[in-house]
Amino acid sequence: LVTTPLPGFDQDLWTPHAAFNASTLGRLVREWTLVRRANIAFIESLPLSAVTRMGRASDNPISVRAACYIPAGHLAHHLRLLRHGTSV
């Protein structure tokens, strides 16, 4: 069992260099769709016994079950920003 904590990162330093504005909406949607399908495939492959396992991410305890909800919460966050006209 691997117990190495996953480090966090400062998104505010990383995202300005990703050039998202240079991409088309169609390409961003295709990329998002592929990442979503990969996340779903990974989550579906986990044995039921894995969901209660614990680890550390960004120096905080987290269960596998909680980590599986992060992509959905992240999407909800960005959709809320888009609906309110806030920068993503």
Side-chain angles (χ1 to χ4, degrees):
L1 184 61
V2 177
T3 58
T4 304
L6 297 174
F9 69 97
D10 186 344
Q11 68 186 22
D12 294 331
L13 293 174
W14 182 81
T15 54
H17 305 286
F20 295 117
N21 290 336
S23 191
T24 66
L25 179 59
R27 180 170 176 88
L28 292 173
V29 169
R30 283 192 302 278
E31 289 176 9
W32 173 81
T33 300
L34 290 170
V35 170
R36 181 177 184 274
R37 288 180 180 166
N39 283 336
I40 290 169
F42 171 71
I43 291 167
E44 288 177 344
S45 76
L46 293 173
L48 190 56
S49 61
V51 297
T52 57
R53 291 184 188 150
M54 296 295 294
R56 294 192 74 75
S58 298
D59 205 28
N60 293 293
I62 187 170
S63 68
V64 171
R65 179 188 330 235
C68 290
Y69 281 93
I70 288 174
H74 191 199
L75 172 62
H77 163 73
H78 282 278
L79 290 175
R80 193 167 34 257
L81 291 175
L82 287 169
R83 283 188 195 108
H84 291 51
T86 310
S87 68
V88 217

